[in-house]
Amino acid sequence: MLTGIHVAFIGGDARQIEVIKKCIQLDAIVTLIGFDNLESIFTGATKKPLTCDVLKDVDALILPIVGTDDKGFVESIFCSKQLQFLDTHAASLKKDCVVYTGMAKPYLRQLLADQEIKLVELLSRDDVAIYNSIPTVEGALMMAIQNTDFTIHGSQVIVLGFGRVGMSMARTLDALGARVRVGVKRPEHIARIYEMGIQPFHLDELKQQVGNVDILFNTIPQLIVTADVIAQMTQTALIIDLASKPGGTDFRFAEKRGMKALLAPSLPGIVAPRTAGQIIANTLSRLIAEQSSIQKEESV
């Protein structure tokens, strides 16, 4: 239970609805900031503006998946006004307040570090990232089906990267009957891919591998699908980039070649916001409860 714990939300998308519901169910004190246009009325939650006074007694501050941009602006689909999290807001937080977000940009990290406020980035946790890979893969498959005129079964597919999303992507495509190759660098990843019965290759060989590819899924958050790589692909090949913005594809060159290249970050929140929200809600509620227990023990 979160009885007596003050949880404040600043902005977000449909995923936050599930987190808000979970916190209310667990008896937290809930404050909603940047939810002016939210039609749902939550009993036990209070809508307030973003002010220092509102934040001063917050125990857990929950920001959207991408906490803020490089100037502190917070995205919210439920508010028509811009929300900007400033140094004055960070300074108003209690020293034992914990800020939760999916991933933080340098602006937010520095702001909280200056005030010695603890920051938790949920997407850096293996459990959240692995759970999130499920709706990510489903969304990527949906995009592939919508943008091709052939079946995934029997098609030549390349997956770049073998992290939490890359592994799930490769396994699912293989199960669907695609002819899957996975590009990686680490020897242990090559060994694991081979053990799974899928064909691995080293990323240094990428240009030699893409000549007959039908669909290429990239999960590596750095420029890996370069102009040199794209030049070796057929114009009918489809690129789906699942890495965080700006992705790992030279989209300008792909467009110049007349190829379809799609950037698709944040798929869990787009294709399955309720499931994605429940994943975050379950992890967040547990972390907030654990943090509260630690603080109580330290105060004894």
Side-chain angles (χ1 to χ4, degrees), residues 180-280:
V180 184
R181 287 166 282 162
V182 183
V184 292
K185 284 186 176 181
R186 292 164 56 177
E188 63 269 31
H189 285 171
I190 289 177
R192 176 59 66 190
I193 295 162
Y194 176 81
E195 180 273 332
M196 290 169 61
I198 300 174
Q199 183 180 340
F201 68 89
H202 197 281
L203 282 173
D204 290 346
E205 305 168 2
L206 181 55
K207 284 197 293 185
Q208 290 75 44
Q209 292 284 337
V210 297
N212 68 339
V213 68
D214 297 309
I215 312 172
L216 184 148
F217 296 91
N218 176 55
T219 70
I220 301 172
Q222 63 187 61
L223 185 58
I224 188 79
V225 188
T226 62
D228 288 343
V229 172
I230 293 170
Q232 304 303 313
M233 301 170 68
T234 65
Q235 284 186 294
T236 58
L238 171 65
I239 300 171
I240 298 178
D241 200 316
L242 303 173
S244 55
K245 292 181 180 179
T249 300
D250 188 333
F251 292 98
R252 182 201 63 81
F253 186 74
E255 183 179 5
K256 185 177 180 180
R257 281 206 70 206
M259 294 174 59
K260 189 174 289 187
L262 308 173
L263 178 60
S266 303
L267 277 178
I270 296 171
V271 301
R274 186 171 66 172
T275 298
Q278 289 169 347
I279 291 168
I280 297 167

Side-chain angles (χ1 to χ4, degrees), residues 44-181:
T46 306
K47 295 180 183 179
K48 293 185 178 179
L50 177 56
T51 65
C52 295
D53 190 57
V54 169
L55 296 175
K56 66 182 182 181
D57 64 347
V58 169
D59 299 303
L61 180 63
I62 300 175
L63 295 171
I65 290 297
V66 179
T68 72
D69 67 11
D70 295 324
K71 294 183 180 179
F73 287 101
V74 181
E75 184 178 357
S76 178
I77 67 171
F78 303 110
C79 184
S80 53
K81 299 178 182 177
Q82 283 193 317
L83 299 169
Q84 189 176 22
F85 189 72
L86 303 170
D87 53 356
T88 52
H89 297 128
S92 69
L93 295 171
K94 300 188 300 181
K95 292 303 179 184
D96 60 355
C97 176
V98 180
V99 177
Y100 298 91
T101 186
M103 62 182 77
K105 294 197 172 183
Y107 173 93
L108 182 61
R109 288 199 192 103
Q110 188 61 53
L111 213 62
L112 297 175
D114 290 343
Q115 301 298 329
E116 299 181 340
I117 301 294
K118 183 177 179 180
L119 171 67
V120 176
E121 297 182 62
L122 295 171
L123 293 187
S124 67
R125 293 176 55 91
D126 278 339
D127 54 353
V128 174
I130 291 170
Y131 286 132
N132 257 332
S133 72
I134 299 168
T136 298
V137 168
E138 289 189 12
L141 291 175
M142 177 189 73
M143 292 182 69
I145 293 168
Q146 289 175 337
N147 289 278
T148 55
D149 57 2
F150 51 84
T151 60
I152 290 175
H153 185 283
S155 61
Q156 293 287 345
V157 177
I158 286 178
V159 176
L160 301 181
F162 200 63
R164 279 92 44 126
V165 173
M167 182 183 294
S168 297
M169 194 83 242
R171 182 187 294 116
T172 303
L173 288 164
D174 181 61
L176 288 172
R179 298 169 185 172
V180 184
R181 287 166 282 162

